[in-house]
Amino acid sequence: MLRLTVTVPSALTERVTQLLADSTAVSTLSVLRGAALRPVGDVVHADVAREGVNELVDRLRDLGAHEQGSVQLEPVPTWISRPGLEAEEQTPGSSADAVVWAEVAQRSYEDSELNWTFLSFMTLATLIAGIAIVLDSQILVIGAMVLGPEFGAIAALGVALVRRRHLLLGVAARSLVVGFGVAIVVTCLAALIARALGWVTLHDLTGSRPSTGFIYSPDKWSFIVAVLAAAAGVLSLTSSKIGGLSGVFISVTTIPAAGNVALGLAFGAWHEVRGSGLQLVLNIVGMALAGWLTLALQQAVWSRVPVRRRSQSRLAQRIHTERAASR
């Protein structure tokens, strides 16, 4: 169940409330007249089954509610309501499977924004990955994978393609290019300092590394794992089940590959640079492709839900009319 809050000028209130009142996905509806100061108007609250939110948001956008006021969505963690249960039962689909596109788009913008925090996490994760490679430590590799923030921006590429958000596509692509570029440069400089101090040698990079050798040895499985992990990650982001994200972070080799590229540049180990660079590209392409296909499939499936809902509504009206006429 989601709480929908619409703040609009009074001139729009009646149309907004009528729209919400006509939806079977809405279990409770209330209006606070004159409660809004900016814009001057009313505040409308509605509890909506997650499966029915997309159609209502689209129709509110058609009314211009988002241009003259605001439309907010927030989850209701615990609720006890017979009308709420009936609304969920009458709304086609499952709440866990429902994709709330407004929520997905906003999260994509937030996760792919190029800011100090994003660059800091990218750089720190890549530095840890560089240390993991020198020490040949799987534990540190996993830590670097979990710390890296790149999956949100990669998933945003798929959202941008499916929802045709050109601005989001540019924001996500820039964040990935700049983020990996800055992280690699900083890690390369750190490796040069460590080389000058004698802390790291060429042998540490090119010698036997049974625990981290996969980082510069991409193959078909690198691409397949990236595709499967990204599909699972997108499903976690778009549904109410987020437990799968941790598995995604430790399944792909983007951050470790970036760390190995940086070390290879610092020591002139071009074989390492080529292999890790290919690993990085394979993982990003695989995840972006899987994210796009998964989101496209979800959009195709959920675009049919409103059609089924309207068909069921018309059928219910016909049954009601026939029963009334027979009395």
Side-chain angles (χ1 to χ4, degrees):
M1 188 68 65
L2 295 178
R3 168 59 61 92
L4 173 65
T5 301
V6 186
T7 304
V8 289
S10 301
L12 272 181
T13 302
E14 291 305 319
R15 285 195 286 174
V16 169
T17 53
Q18 187 61 51
L19 167 64
L20 297 175
D22 290 341
S23 174
T24 57
V26 175
S27 60
T28 62
L29 178 62
S30 58
V31 181
L32 303 178
R33 304 281 181 184
L37 297 179
R38 185 180 299 175
V40 176
D42 308 318
V43 178
V44 181
H45 293 296
D47 290 330
V48 187
R50 183 181 175 91
E51 308 91 293
V53 165
N54 283 326
E55 183 180 14
L56 290 178
V57 170
D58 289 342
R59 295 180 67 182
L60 286 170
R61 289 174 62 90
D62 292 339
L63 290 178
H66 67 299
E67 294 178 347
Q68 301 185 47
S70 67
V71 178
Q72 301 176 36
L73 290 167
E74 55 184 342
V76 180
T78 304
W79 53 274
I80 303 174
S81 169
R82 172 63 65 179
L85 180 60
E86 292 175 352
E88 280 206 330
E89 292 176 344
Q90 294 175 19
T91 306
S94 168
S95 60
D97 297 333
V99 181
V100 181
W101 290 110
E103 180 182 68
V104 172
Q106 178 174 332
R107 182 167 184 175
S108 296
Y109 277 107
E110 293 175 351
D111 289 349
S112 58
E113 181 183 1
L114 183 61
N115 50 38
W116 173 255
T117 301
F118 183 87
L119 290 176
S120 297
F121 275 106
M122 285 288 290
T123 302
L124 292 171
T126 307
L127 285 168
I128 292 175
I131 296 172
I133 292 166
V134 171
L135 299 179
D136 194 32
S137 170
Q138 286 187 341
I139 298 298
L140 289 179
V141 167
I142 293 173
M145 289 176 172
V146 174
L147 188 61
E150 77 283 1
F151 178 73
I154 295 173
L157 295 176
V159 175
L161 292 172
V162 171
R163 303 298 291 178
R164 299 179 181 179
R165 303 288 183 92
H166 302 296
L167 176 60
L168 176 60
L169 183 64
V171 169
R174 185 184 66 166
S175 295
L176 287 172
V177 172
V178 176
F180 276 112
V182 170
I184 289 173
V185 168
V186 172
T187 304
C188 181
L189 292 175
L192 288 172
I193 295 173
R195 178 183 181 181
L197 294 173
W199 293 356
V200 182
T201 65
L202 180 61
H203 177 74
D204 293 328
L205 184 62
T206 59
S208 177
R209 285 163 39 196
S211 297
T212 57
F214 67 94
I215 294 173
Y216 61 90
S217 303
D219 54 21
K220 60 181 180 294
W221 298 111
S222 301
F223 185 79
I224 292 172
V225 170
V227 168
L228 295 176
V234 167
L235 288 174
S236 296
L237 289 174
T238 57
S239 71
S240 58
K241 308 291 186 182
I242 62 174
L245 284 178
S246 58
V248 175
F249 297 149
I250 60 176
S251 298
V252 293
T253 324
T254 48
I255 292 294
N260 208 50
V261 167
L263 290 175
L265 290 173
F267 284 89
W270 304 114
H271 171 71
E272 300 279 341
V273 174
R274 287 192 297 271
S276 300
L278 181 58
Q279 181 79 275
L280 179 61
V281 171
L282 278 177
N283 275 266
I284 292 178
V285 171
M287 287 193 289
L289 180 63
W292 169 60
L293 291 175
T294 303
L295 289 165
L297 177 60
Q298 288 179 297
Q299 179 170 256
V301 170
W302 277 99
S303 65
R304 301 181 61 84
V305 170
V307 176
R308 293 202 302 270
R309 186 181 296 117
R310 287 193 291 270
S311 299
Q312 291 177 354
S313 177
R314 287 195 296 269
L315 178 60
Q317 291 176 0
R318 287 178 57 187
I319 293 174
H320 178 75
T321 302
E322 292 175 1
R323 286 179 176 176
S326 64
R327 291 176 180 173

